[in-house]
Amino acid sequence: MSSDPHLHAHDSSVHAPHLHGDEPRAAGFSWGLLLGLIGAVGICWLGATGQLSLYIHPRYNLFTLVMAGFGIIACLAAWAVRARSGGRGRAWGAAAAAIAMVLALFVVPPATLSSSTAQNRSPAAGVDPAEITRLAGADPSSFTLRDWAALVDDPGSVAAYAGQQVTLTGFVTPVDGDDVDVFYLARFVVTCCTVDARPVAVPVALPDWADQHKADQWVRITGRMVPAQNAPGEAVLMLQPAEITPIDQPDQPYEY
């Protein structure tokens, strides 16, 4: 059977473009690299403005900033040499994530952990024996809120510390059960980062305290430790205030 040479020529011209995959493709925008770059720059910005310690323990600041610096260099280098790609399937989602990250890191101010978090993580979690041992024989005038939070649950503290004058700083946290005569003076202790932060608290005896103070309000309390009466949990000591002064949140709200 004879064949028409003109037909074959036509077929070849139609199908040829589909037989070759070496045509250049439009370079796709790397949203993943952009997100990584924003995150690394945001960490450096938090470090430069002194806010990185609101997220991690200060002993990790230098390491985190060095790694963020390497991250910036790596993102820029990867952007320069990355393979050309035309994929755009996730552009809208990645763009939204990038905008959200910019807002979270650069626009919305960092928020410290609150009284509701303290209640959810149980500020009256019991005595840490290691803390009691560490404080034995030390000068009580140097004790922090973290120290007293361990001592108020220790049965031996009544004989050793009842009557001790103290000045402590923390934020107001309600006691479970809506106790109108006792509230917690609380702070968070950060071991690694705020995700693992644990609350420490000292019960404060003040009738109708909610008429004078609001939850999350930062205060400085001067008073003395007294044997506990109707205190929450297993507390054997509580703070009887002589003066309560509202203050601004400290630049460093956490203990370490």
Side-chain angles (χ1 to χ4, degrees):
M1 180 181 294
S2 62
S3 59
D4 188 343
H6 298 287
L7 180 59
H8 284 285
H10 176 72
D11 290 343
S12 176
S13 64
V14 171
H15 295 289
H18 299 283
L19 297 176
H20 300 282
D22 56 355
E23 291 186 1
R25 300 163 63 190
F29 186 78
S30 178
W31 287 100
L33 288 178
L34 178 61
L35 290 173
L37 184 62
I38 292 173
V41 171
I43 290 173
C44 292
W45 178 78
L46 290 172
T49 57
Q51 300 180 87
L52 190 56
S53 295
L54 296 178
Y55 296 93
I56 62 174
H57 194 292
R59 65 169 170 256
Y60 300 119
N61 282 4
L62 179 59
F63 173 80
T64 302
L65 290 172
V66 170
M67 291 298 100
F70 282 133
I72 292 174
I73 296 172
C75 286
L76 294 176
W79 218 322
V81 302
R82 64 182 296 268
R84 297 170 67 85
S85 170
R88 296 181 177 83
R90 299 181 180 176
W92 285 106
I99 293 172
M101 184 175 291
V102 168
L103 292 175
L105 290 175
F106 300 104
V107 179
V108 180
T112 56
L113 300 175
S114 65
S115 62
S116 60
T117 308
Q119 289 179 292
N120 291 335
R121 298 185 186 181
S122 182
V127 178
D128 183 350
E131 293 288 304
I132 303 300
T133 302
R134 178 179 63 84
L135 296 171
D139 180 7
S141 64
S142 65
F143 290 170
T144 65
L145 181 64
R146 174 183 183 177
D147 299 331
W148 283 112
L151 292 171
V152 295
D153 284 345
D154 179 29
S157 294
V158 175
Y161 301 110
Q164 177 67 44
Q165 295 288 327
V166 300
T167 298
L168 300 175
T169 298
F171 59 88
V172 176
T173 298
V175 174
D176 289 341
D178 298 325
D179 194 320
V180 297
D181 295 328
V182 180
F183 67 89
Y184 283 125
L185 183 67
R187 294 187 82 152
F188 281 92
V189 175
V190 175
T191 302
C192 177
C193 61
T194 53
V195 173
D196 68 5
R198 63 182 178 89
V200 293
V202 170
V204 180
L206 183 65
D208 298 321
W209 64 267
D211 294 340
Q212 306 172 52
H213 306 285
K214 296 180 179 181
D216 294 319
Q217 180 183 29
W218 280 83
V219 294
R220 180 182 297 111
I221 301 181
T222 298
R224 63 191 181 95
M225 306 304 295
V226 298
Q229 297 180 357
N230 301 320
E234 300 178 358
V236 296
L237 284 176
M238 60 196 312
L239 176 54
Q240 182 176 357
E243 181 180 6
I244 301 179
T245 304
I247 62 172
D248 294 330
Q249 177 181 290
D251 292 336
Q252 187 47 266
Y254 304 131
E255 290 196 23
Y256 302 98

